[in-house]
Structures are given as C-alpha cells and as structure tokens.
Amino acid sequence: MVLHGRKAELTELEGMLGRARAGLSGVLVLRGPAGIGKTALLEHTANAAPGFQVTRVAGVEAEQELGFAGLHRLLLPFLGDRGRLPDPQRDALETAFGLRSAAPPDRFLVGLAALTLLAGAAADRPLLAICDDAQWMDRESLEVLAFVARRLYADGIVLLFGVRDGDAAGASLTGLSELQVAELSGDDALALLDASLAAGIDRVIAARLLAETGGNPLAIRELARGIAAGDLVDPGFGEPLPLDRRLEARFLRQVRDLNPLVQSLLLVAAADSSGDMALVRRAVIELTSASEADVDAALEHAERGEFLAPRTGMVRTHFRHPLIRSAIYGGASAVRRRRAHAALAAVTDPARDADRHASHLASAVDGPDERVAAALEASAERARERGGHLAQAALLRRAAELTPPGPQRDGRLLAACGAALTAGAPHRAEELLGLLTPDPGIPVLDAHAMRLRGFLRVMLGREGAVALLLRAARILAESDPRAGRDTLLEAFDAVTVVARIGVGTSALRVAQAALDAPPVPGEPTVADLLLAAHAGLVAVGYEPAVPLMRRGVQAMQAVGAENGDAARWFLLGILLALELWDIDALGICAQRYSAAARRQGALRMLQAGAHAAATWELLCGRFAAAEAHFAEFKDIAAAIGADPRYSDPSDVMLHAWSGAEERTLAAVAAQAGPDADRPGGLQVQLARTSLVLLELGHRRYARAQAAGEIVYDENPPHFGSAVLPDLVEAAVRNNDTAVAERALARLAERATASGTPWALAVLARCRALLADDTTAEELYLEAISLLERTPLATELARTHLLYGEWLRRRRRRVDARDRLRTAHDMFLDMGAAAFAERARTELAATGERARRRSSETARDLTPQELRVARLAAGGTTNQEIASELFISASTVEYHLRKVFRKLGVTSRRQLLHALTT
C-alpha cells in the first residue's frame, strides 16, 4: 500500500531497520490521534523488513486487566528458548505467564528476562517487535516493554510502539524517542482520496469534503467509501464532535444496517479479548441459537463489509480498525453487552481460562453477586502470584463493585489500593480510597486506610504522610502489635524522605510512639531492632542510642539478612551505619544488599544499594567507582521511569568532592534551594552538607560556615552528624571560635559514644584545630594513625592537609611539605580537584612545586563502559555482566569492543593491567 505524505516518517523507520542490520538497536513511539496512520506506518515497516524476525501485538481494551497478557503474546514465538535464560530470569518469566507457581516475581526481573530472550533471538538475525495500540495493553506488559526499550543498545532489535494521543496509559513510555504522526497536507489528502476512488471527483467538492476530515487518513478513506456508496452530499463528518467520535458514529450507522445475526457476531467479537475465532463462533451460537452455517455466513458478511479483517488462514479475529470495535461495543445497549458477555462466559472453560471466565461473568451481571465477586477475588490472587499487581487491583475493584456496602466491600477496596501502590500507581490507589465507606466505624479498617493513605502521600510527595502512618500505627497496635510496629518503622522511613513532615507532627512524636508501643513476643526481628535504634536516637539521645544502633547494624549484616525482611528496611539500616561512622558496615551492606537485589531482579532495591555503594566508594576516595555507581543509580531510575528531577542530583556529594562548583550548586538548588520542587528530607541534608564541603575545598570558609550552621541549628534526626567536622573546620578557618567549640562539643559527645576509628579520628582532627601548639600535633598524628587503619582515603587526605597547613604556619616547611605533598597527591589521584588546588597552594607557599595529574585513560571511559570493564577484568562472563547491569549480552560485547579500543588492549588480562595502572 502506498502511504501518501509520509516520506519523513518512512525515512526514519527504514533508517532504524538499516541500523539494526548493522547490529544496533532502536526504539520509537509513534503518537497521534485515532486514524492518523500509525498502524499503516507500522505495517509498512514490517513489510520493509525482509530477513527480520517480526513479532507483533496489538493492545485490546478488554484485556487491560489481564496482567502480562500483551507481553505473553509478543514473546510467544520465542518462549521455546526460555530454557537458555539464567534460572532467576526463566523462573520470573514463567511465573508471570502462569507457567509455574512461585513467589510473585519482580516486574523488572521479568523485563530482564524479556530483554535476554529477545536479544538471544536477535543474535541469529535482526528482530522487529511492534506494539500497536499500546495505550490498551495491560500496565504490567507496557512497563516491562518500556524497561526493555530503555535497555536496548547494540542488540539488532527495533522496538516500535503505536500510542493514541492523550491517553494516560502511554505515560510509561515517557522519555523514549517519539515521532508525532501529523495530519496529511491538502495535496496529500487529495492524492489519498483520488487513490481510494475508482472514479474522479470534482476538485471543489473534494476540497470542501476533505476539510471536514482534518487530514486524517482513516477519515479520508471512509469519505471515499461514502462517495462510492452514493453518500456524496452528506458523508457524515459534519457533526460538531471530535473526529474519532464522528468516525465511530459513522461505523455504528453502518453496523446498524446489517442483519441482526451479523450485528450479534460483531458485538461478541468486540466483547471478546482472546481473539479466538472458534470461541467467538461458539458464543454467537450460544447467544442466538443460530446454526454453524449461519454463523459462518455472518462472519463472511462482516469480512466483506470490511468490519473484520480477512482471516487468510488465521484463526484470530481482527477488526479492521480499533474504532470499529469501540463503536460496536460502546453503541450497544447495556443489556445487549451483558448478554454477549454471558454467552462468552458460558463457552469459556473456567478450568483452563479462569480469569477470562470470571471477567466475562463480572460483565454479565447487573448488581451485587457474591459468587462472581469471589471468582474475581480468586483471579486477583492469581494475578498477584504472577506479579500482576495492577491487574490484581482492577479485579479487586470489580469484585468490590459486586459486593454490597459493608466491611467486606471495604476490605476488597483496601486490598485493591494496596495492590495499586505496589504496582507504583498512586493516583489509581487514591481513586480506590475515595470509594471507601465514609467513617465505617471499624477501627482496624480505618487504620489500614490511614496506612495506605500515608504510603500514598509519601509516593506523591504530599504533606501529612507521617501523621497518617503514626495514627494508623497507634490503632493497629491494639489488635495487631506486629503491624503497628511495622507501621511505626514506615513512619520513620517517611520522616527520612518526605519534604515536609507536617504541622503538629515530628520525628520525635514517632519516636515516642515507638518507645510506648507494646512489644511482640519472641526474638526481636530486624525491624524491631531498627525501630528501637531510631526511636532511641531521636527521643533519648545519641549516646544512649549507640548500643541500639549497633544491634540494628549488626542485624543488617547477619548471614542471609539481605534475602529476608531486612531488605525492606535497607535505607534505615544504612542511615544507622552512617550515624555510627561505621565505614565497614556501610561497605558490607552496600555490597551484599546490592548483590541480593541483582539476583532477585529487584531494581528499586538495587537503586538504593547503588547509592549506598557510591557513597562508600566516594568516602574511600575511589571517585571513578563512585561515579559508576551513581550512574547506575540514575540508569535504574530511568529504567523504572523515576522523575529525573530527583534522581539526577543524587550525586551532589561527588560533585562537591570533585570541586565541580556549577554542578554542585545546581544539585543543591534542585534539592535544598528556595525553589526546589518537592525535595526529600534526607536529600535536603545531603545537599546542604555537600555545599559545606564544596566551599571548604574552594577555601570560602565564611560561606562554608554559614551553610554548615543551617544544618547544625536544625539538628536533623538523621544525617546531622556528618556536617559537624566540616563546621568545626570552617569556623576555625573563619576565626569564629565560639561556633567551632559548639560544633566540637556535639561532635565529641557523638564520636566518643560511637567509638569507631572513623569517629575518633575526625574528633581528634577537630580537637587539633582548636588545640594549642603543645597538643595539636599529637592529635593530628592520632587522627592519621586511626584513619590509616580504615579505607577512608578522603578523610586521611583531609587530615594530612590540615596537619600540613598547621605545620606551615609554624614555619616547619620541610615537615609541612611531606604532609601537603601527601595530601595533594591523594586528592589529585582520587579526583578531588578543589582540595588538590588548596593543597597545591599551601605546598607552593613552602617553596615546592606540586606534580600535575598524569593522563588517566580510564577517565576516558563512560560510566557504563567502566562498569563493564571492571566486571570483565574481574573474570565475569558477558552473560553474568549482562544480568548484573540489566542489559543484554550483545550490548556487553559492544561496550567491551569500545573499551578495548580506547585502552589499546586486546585481552581481558591486558584489561585488568590497564585498569589497575
């Protein structure tokens, strides 16, 4: 078929096919209104791809509640090769598709399995995957395919989506490359009309009629059909309605001219989501009592009238255009739709296809029906087991609609809300909460609703989350102490991340409630230990909380803890390690929990682990490794569709250490500035502390002190200790002894109680800054001795710098040179440019010239290339690297080729040498 006026679009699509033949991948989302030609462009691309494997799926509105249904149809040609997948990926995919019973899989592990399966197929010859009408695909499938799209790079795969304009379901694809399919120009519209007509038409009349089509190709072809049928004067596009509504109205008029049996067949086909022609035929017979021969004749009539696409040997029903389906279904009366669904339910096997059977039953009833509601609830549980949480929410909502008002209905709505939140759909959860019975008078139901509303507000960044969680915890504590304590810990989690806790609520109130909460019999869980630690830290004080914090951190490091409930509280555990200045615990937890997240395909957990690992590497002076982890954090954020406004500034501390003023200030403004859009509580403190560090590196001590005092005065319950050594240094250099002494007093209390080498070292260093000449040197040497037992290169370099500055001011130039040279070289090697310049300036004042940084080839690698290179140099196979980085093995090979070329090596053994030198 010739496509008029689509030269630019075809060039883009055919170019993608050409790049795929060369081994690269491409993703494109075609957006436009109904009938604009998205499907035609996708069909043309499929026809222009000789030698490609082609798999395609079209979203069906009636299938939106069947989790992973669209993905299953798209991957069906390749499922025979799933045995080649790594075990965790194969298990996740089979569970999602209902092929095995197991714990609900992480959605993103299903995505990695889909990526690996498609990339494996494309290893033989390029692959074209088409998802048309993506706005009607089930949410789970669409999110998995969006994840796959963001991970494609060098796989020889082209992934295309067709999405209708203005549909919120397509939001999962936001950020992918898009092509807006526009209306045809006047000349192209006329050319299409001429090509669609057997005979010519007067140009003046044609121009008037075409003006009503708005350049929409489907409308133009329907105009041609109307003219051919003698409908020249009124083709049916004059109503003051949107074009898709006018087209539906036209299709509906055409359908109503058909005989009743054909109309019934089309309605059943429109109500069916399976596309199974044999099933549709049986349902029509069930509905009308017509003979098989009559039904076959009706089917042929529907195809001749171009309502259904010709079967050409296929056994699945396809409407010529989705608007025909929606016109037929939407134009039928409620009674006729219920009868069609009843017929479909009657011929659907409840044992083999229980979910579709329950769905049709639900659409066939009018009013409450506990039998059908229970069937839907069972379908929801099966959806949960497959990881289809949004499908679970939709099924539970429909079950609630078929349940009389009362506790059972509200319970089903609360379960639906919880499923929607698990699926990452807070707005849908909010809608479900709005359906609850106002003031049901049942405290437990009230508490669960409050708890869910609290989660909702955390996810949406709204004020009041902590207060709701606190109230819910107090009510739950009376009937379910375990749930009450877990909710209190959730409130602490909210305290650390929400932007505004809310009037009348504070971390202190949460802590006091936790201290008053009734204990749970038996050995304390990780959650119990973390709750006690955070409550003690906030309500009792740092020193008495130290033993509790140590127990919490030890529990996080227990053998196998990362595979259990502790993973849920990872952030709270990491915060305790930082509060204790326990660098070893930070490193152990970051590595073990990240590794567990990789094994399980838990991307949100891996994202938190990547940030913790980046922080650990940064403090250890390995800035390149930290940069790679921060890049992974952002990469995962993009893959799961997180808002880049909040993920992009996450590496603010790295920029501060690197002395990158513009990038640091931009990140600080985004997280903690007056115009910051919904900053998180912990993010604010991290940004403020980074600003102090930046100013110290640039020797702007007054500004560093001012920034540090903001944190000191606020004394946040978490991440308030890290700024204390910086504030002491800034105030001393700014000749403000009073502020320095106040900060030192708070630091002394906490560091002494902690007792870790890190804590005692920064305490000794800060005491040296305020000490007289008789004791300062001993304190500096004590700090250096303590830090040399740790991996904390950043703190050791800063101590050498401050000691060297002290020596130079005592005119001990030779001694000062040794310390300043050591500090300068350490800062230079790790990439702390501003601190290196500060050390160079001091060193120059002693009469010595500092060395310049040598070229570091590894710095020429991108963060992703560096991650691949480090793993490959360590002996990790390409498939293992692919699984660890959530990319395909072919993309790993592509990156390794670039790494080898950049580093001038030809083997992995040489790669290890190049990276270490």
Side-chain angles (χ1 to χ4, degrees), residues 838-860:
R838 176 173 155 184
R840 188 201 65 79
T841 302
E842 290 284 334
L843 194 56
T846 70
E848 180 169 324
R849 178 176 295 181
R851 72 173 175 89
R852 293 185 177 276
R853 184 184 182 107
S854 59
S855 174
E856 187 179 346
T857 311
R859 282 280 176 179
D860 297 331

Side-chain angles (χ1 to χ4, degrees), residues 114-435:
L115 172 64
T116 306
L117 198 62
L118 291 171
D124 298 326
R125 54 194 176 103
L127 187 149
L128 171 63
I130 296 173
C131 307
D132 200 6
D133 287 317
Q135 74 277 356
W136 286 333
M137 289 185 73
D138 62 276
R139 170 77 175 271
E140 286 82 4
S141 292
L142 196 58
E143 289 196 351
V144 164
L145 289 171
F147 169 82
V148 170
R150 294 184 176 100
R151 313 308 290 170
L152 290 174
Y153 195 81
D155 316 277
I157 297 174
V158 174
L159 178 55
L160 303 176
F161 298 90
V163 183
R164 188 174 294 185
D165 269 346
D167 197 291
S172 299
L173 306 178
T174 300
L176 300 178
S177 297
E178 291 192 3
L179 177 64
Q180 188 69 35
V181 184
E183 66 276 2
L184 297 178
S185 67
D187 291 342
D188 291 324
L190 186 58
L192 176 59
L193 180 61
D194 283 341
S196 303
L197 288 171
I201 182 174
D202 181 85
R203 289 297 186 259
V204 175
I205 296 175
R208 178 175 62 83
L209 296 175
L210 282 172
E212 297 182 9
T213 69
N216 184 292
L218 178 62
I220 293 168
R221 287 195 295 272
E222 289 306 308
L223 172 62
R225 286 166 58 86
I227 292 172
D231 191 13
L232 181 60
V233 177
D234 181 15
F237 296 115
E239 299 95 331
L241 295 170
L243 186 57
D244 56 349
R245 295 274 301 281
R246 288 185 270 158
L247 285 167
E248 285 184 342
R250 180 178 180 82
F251 291 140
L252 190 57
R253 287 198 298 272
Q254 294 170 357
V255 168
R256 285 173 176 166
D257 287 338
L258 302 172
N259 70 59
L261 182 57
V262 178
Q263 289 190 48
S264 294
L265 182 142
L266 289 172
L267 177 58
V268 171
D272 171 59
S273 62
S274 70
D276 184 341
M277 177 55 69
L279 182 76
V280 170
R281 291 174 73 255
R282 292 199 303 273
V284 173
I285 293 171
E286 173 75 20
L287 178 65
T288 64
S289 300
S291 67
E292 290 187 12
D294 286 343
V295 172
D296 287 340
L299 178 60
E300 291 174 5
H301 193 156
E303 291 175 350
R304 285 197 307 273
E306 297 186 3
F307 297 102
L308 297 177
R311 281 167 288 170
T312 61
M314 298 176 64
V315 294
R316 296 180 67 84
T317 54
H318 292 281
F319 283 89
R320 179 167 60 86
H321 194 276
L323 284 178
I324 299 176
R325 177 194 286 269
S326 59
I328 292 168
Y329 192 81
S333 67
V335 171
R336 291 190 65 220
R337 287 199 297 266
R338 286 197 294 272
R339 288 174 179 166
H341 282 291
L344 284 163
V347 299
T348 299
D349 186 344
R352 294 181 56 192
D353 202 350
D355 295 339
R356 277 199 175 89
H357 181 259
S359 178
H360 285 310
L361 282 178
S363 298
V365 298
D366 181 21
D369 189 313
E370 179 54 29
R371 180 181 68 91
V372 177
L376 287 171
E377 197 167 32
S379 288
E381 177 59 19
R382 287 190 292 272
R384 186 197 66 80
E385 291 171 353
R386 295 193 298 269
H389 298 291
L390 205 65
Q392 177 193 6
L395 290 163
L396 286 169
R397 174 176 181 161
R398 183 63 180 133
E401 290 170 350
L402 299 180
T403 308
Q408 187 176 31
R409 176 182 178 276
D410 285 343
R412 284 168 171 163
L413 285 172
L414 287 171
C417 176
L421 287 173
T422 302
H427 293 291
R428 185 165 300 190
E430 186 171 33
E431 180 185 348
L432 289 164
L433 285 171
L435 300 175

Side-chain angles (χ1 to χ4, degrees), residues 288-591:
T288 64
S289 300
S291 67
E292 290 187 12
D294 286 343
V295 172
D296 287 340
L299 178 60
E300 291 174 5
H301 193 156
E303 291 175 350
R304 285 197 307 273
E306 297 186 3
F307 297 102
L308 297 177
R311 281 167 288 170
T312 61
M314 298 176 64
V315 294
R316 296 180 67 84
T317 54
H318 292 281
F319 283 89
R320 179 167 60 86
H321 194 276
L323 284 178
I324 299 176
R325 177 194 286 269
S326 59
I328 292 168
Y329 192 81
S333 67
V335 171
R336 291 190 65 220
R337 287 199 297 266
R338 286 197 294 272
R339 288 174 179 166
H341 282 291
L344 284 163
V347 299
T348 299
D349 186 344
R352 294 181 56 192
D353 202 350
D355 295 339
R356 277 199 175 89
H357 181 259
S359 178
H360 285 310
L361 282 178
S363 298
V365 298
D366 181 21
D369 189 313
E370 179 54 29
R371 180 181 68 91
V372 177
L376 287 171
E377 197 167 32
S379 288
E381 177 59 19
R382 287 190 292 272
R384 186 197 66 80
E385 291 171 353
R386 295 193 298 269
H389 298 291
L390 205 65
Q392 177 193 6
L395 290 163
L396 286 169
R397 174 176 181 161
R398 183 63 180 133
E401 290 170 350
L402 299 180
T403 308
Q408 187 176 31
R409 176 182 178 276
D410 285 343
R412 284 168 171 163
L413 285 172
L414 287 171
C417 176
L421 287 173
T422 302
H427 293 291
R428 185 165 300 190
E430 186 171 33
E431 180 185 348
L432 289 164
L433 285 171
L435 300 175
L436 290 170
T437 305
D439 300 321
I442 302 174
V444 172
L445 281 179
D446 283 340
H448 282 296
M450 286 179 203
R451 189 179 186 183
L452 291 170
R453 286 192 172 95
F455 287 151
L456 181 71
R457 296 194 182 193
V458 171
M459 293 181 73
L460 294 175
R462 294 178 183 168
E463 190 172 319
V466 178
L468 284 168
L469 290 169
L470 183 56
R471 287 170 57 200
R474 285 171 170 159
I475 297 172
L476 289 171
E478 297 178 6
S479 58
D480 187 347
R482 166 56 59 206
R485 293 177 69 83
D486 282 354
T487 307
L488 283 170
L489 203 51
E490 289 159 359
F492 265 125
D493 200 57
V495 165
T496 66
V497 300
V498 297
R500 294 166 292 275
I501 293 179
V503 178
T505 308
S506 65
L508 180 59
R509 288 189 63 191
V510 177
Q512 289 169 338
L515 294 175
D516 295 338
V520 177
E523 284 294 313
T525 64
V526 174
D528 290 327
L529 295 173
L530 293 177
L531 181 62
H534 283 278
L537 176 63
V538 174
V540 182
Y542 188 95
E543 185 174 359
V546 165
L548 299 172
M549 291 195 285
R550 284 185 185 142
R551 289 188 68 192
V553 171
Q554 287 166 0
M556 292 292 293
Q557 299 175 81
V559 176
E562 66 273 17
N563 299 314
D565 197 47
R568 180 181 173 192
W569 313 112
F570 176 73
L571 175 61
L572 293 173
I574 286 295
L575 283 175
L576 292 182
L578 287 168
E579 285 296 324
L580 284 171
W581 285 286
D582 190 339
I583 189 64
D584 293 331
L586 175 63
I588 290 169
C589 288
Q591 293 177 69

